[in-house]
Amino acid sequence: MKLSVVIPAYNEEESLPPTLRALYQTLAKHGIPHEICVTNDNSKDGTLRVLQELAATEIPTLVYFTNPGPNGFGYAVRYGLERFTGDCVAVFMADLSDDPEDLVKFYNKMQETGVDAVFGSRWGRDGKVIDYPALKKVINRVANFIVKVVMGIQYNDTTNAFKLYKRETIEGVKPFLSPHFNLTVELPLKAIVRGYSYAVVPNSWTNRKYGESKLKIKEMGSRYFFILMYCLIEKYFSRGDFRKKTSTAPQTVSR
């Protein structure tokens, strides 16, 4: 099963070299066939130059694209999700806040169980966060609690971007609606509502060492709410028109 890793990058020239080296070395060590797909989101720094150098000299599995616009986190991820070639695809952050070893766990879980998606959880047993800003943590937990209650699900980290999907799952949750960070909520909620099976695996999160976060919390509240309401409406009023067609058996959650 070939793994594709989609990484959105905007002004990440400092973060990308350690991230891509760690990711490539980890996947190669475990013998996982893969490609690393970086979307340069029309960066204004040396991101493109860094990608060119790494692809030419160090990381043979690196492919990169430049998204000319429109730009934004969601658009950059979507640009990669339309171009990857693997059998499954993970969304991974350019700042190495996600752990490559966790990605190996996700991949192995999908191989072992055959689930349609693997979701990370930073907040349950064996999950871990390092240097997580206090205010951001409060907002995160409140937002995820609201998502759990409104959607009637048990998963506690919907806003976590770090997830792995089979190619068929990604095709099944199209068309994409979110141009911003709310895509991190859209993808898993659509997958759940449309009947795709998933496993939850603990993962760790480490605050970035370089640059600044692109997530602007004040700007995202209404956008997260829009996607949440869209998925809620689809769950109760779409009459199953978008549900997974290949299986009639009840979908189960593997942990």
Side-chain angles (χ1 to χ4, degrees):
M1 186 169 68
K2 180 181 177 181
L3 167 66
S4 295
V5 187
V6 167
I7 303 176
Y10 176 70
N11 293 347
E12 296 284 6
E13 64 174 326
E14 293 181 296
S15 296
L16 277 174
T19 298
L20 296 180
R21 287 177 184 131
L23 184 58
Y24 172 69
Q25 291 166 5
T26 300
L27 296 178
K29 177 182 69 175
H30 289 277
I32 296 176
H34 71 277
E35 64 175 358
I36 301 172
C37 306
V38 180
T39 299
N40 168 36
D41 198 32
N42 202 18
S43 297
K44 303 301 186 288
D45 65 355
T47 292
L48 180 58
R49 172 184 52 79
V50 167
L51 290 170
Q52 292 169 336
E53 292 175 356
L54 290 174
T57 62
E58 294 186 47
I59 305 177
T61 58
L62 173 61
V63 294
Y64 55 90
F65 322 103
T66 293
N67 174 26
N71 300 117
F73 176 88
Y75 284 124
V77 173
R78 287 162 56 176
Y79 202 86
L81 292 179
E82 295 290 355
R83 289 163 176 79
F84 76 94
T85 64
D87 303 298
C88 58
V89 60
V91 178
F92 197 88
M93 302 303 286
D95 58 7
L96 200 56
S97 55
D98 304 317
D99 187 340
E101 290 290 346
D102 286 336
L103 179 56
V104 174
K105 295 176 184 177
F106 286 19
Y107 178 86
N108 289 337
K109 187 71 171 182
M110 181 172 282
Q111 290 273 57
E112 294 164 3
T113 63
V115 291
D116 300 313
V118 178
F119 300 160
S121 177
R122 299 163 291 184
W123 307 105
R125 186 176 63 181
D126 298 325
K128 183 172 62 174
V129 295
I130 300 171
D131 195 24
Y132 204 97
L135 177 60
K136 185 177 178 181
K137 179 178 179 180
V138 171
I139 294 172
N140 178 290
R141 302 321 302 138
V142 171
N144 278 284
F145 177 77
I146 292 172
V147 172
K148 281 182 60 177
V149 171
V150 171
M151 296 301 298
I153 60 177
Q154 294 301 310
Y155 179 48
N156 70 350
D157 202 8
T158 306
T159 60
N160 184 357
F162 187 26
K163 297 178 172 69
L164 175 66
Y165 302 89
K166 285 184 177 178
R167 171 175 286 277
E168 294 80 5
T169 309
I170 288 296
E171 292 300 319
V173 299
K174 291 181 179 178
F176 305 129
L177 301 176
S178 302
H180 301 288
F181 278 87
N182 48 343
L183 185 69
T184 64
V185 174
E186 177 184 351
L187 296 180
L189 288 186
K190 276 187 176 178
I192 294 171
V193 167
R194 296 181 182 185
Y196 291 89
S197 59
Y198 66 95
V200 178
V201 173
N203 75 285
S204 63
W205 183 94
T206 304
N207 202 3
R208 64 165 55 237
K209 295 182 179 179
Y210 308 104
E212 61 180 22
S213 173
K214 311 305 187 294
L215 173 61
K216 307 300 180 185
I217 295 175
K218 290 182 179 180
E219 299 176 6
M220 289 308 303
S222 62
R223 291 171 174 143
Y224 279 119
F225 182 75
F226 164 73
I227 286 300
L228 178 60
M229 290 299 99
Y230 176 92
C231 292
L232 183 67
I233 290 169
E234 181 177 312
K235 179 178 181 179
Y236 289 107
F237 297 101
S238 68
R239 303 183 66 85
D241 289 340
F242 305 103
R243 287 185 64 83
K244 180 181 177 182
K245 307 299 183 186
T246 57
S247 175
T248 57
Q251 298 298 322
T252 59
V253 176
S254 172
R255 292 185 181 274

